[in-house]
Amino acid sequence: LFLTFGDGFAALAGERFGKHKIFNSSNKTVEGTAANLTACLITGFMFWFLADAGMKPNIVQIIFGSVAATVVEALPIPRDNLFIPIISGFVMKLLK
């Protein structure tokens, strides 16, 4: 969910409002990264609200998973869409 919503909103916000590049050689912007973090947090809390008790992540997992997904998305690495769910899921699993 972090990949789907976070990366999608990062691309939309970055293209529309992005003025401050994070790295000179990439198209990642501060505005897109902020949109990513916001979308990940909203998605995480919506999942928390709607999930069954056995599947419900705790608040710390949502926050750190959102931050991890945002950091991976902001880095100028190839195939970040592969690493976003892996890294954020790993971070969330460590905090369980």
Side-chain angles (χ1 to χ4, degrees):
L1 292 174
F2 290 158
L3 171 63
T4 302
F5 293 104
D7 197 41
F9 279 102
L12 291 172
E15 290 172 4
R16 173 94 170 141
F17 304 109
K19 293 186 179 12
H20 304 93
K21 300 260 188 206
I22 295 175
F23 301 102
N24 290 335
S25 62
S26 82
N27 59 352
K28 311 282 180 147
T29 64
V30 173
E31 294 81 5
T33 300
N36 184 315
L37 180 60
T38 303
C40 287
L41 288 169
I42 290 170
T43 301
F45 285 115
M46 285 178 60
F47 183 79
W48 176 83
F49 181 73
L50 298 172
D52 292 337
M55 298 260 323
K56 197 172 283 224
N58 64 47
I59 304 299
V60 173
Q61 285 177 299
I62 293 170
I63 293 169
F64 279 91
S66 297
V67 169
T70 301
V71 168
V72 172
E73 194 277 329
L75 293 173
I77 56 174
R79 302 196 194 347
D80 65 344
N81 290 346
L82 172 67
F83 294 111
I84 289 171
I86 293 171
I87 300 296
S88 62
F90 179 72
V91 167
M92 292 176 77
K93 183 67 176 172
L94 284 176
L95 297 170
K96 189 165 187 175

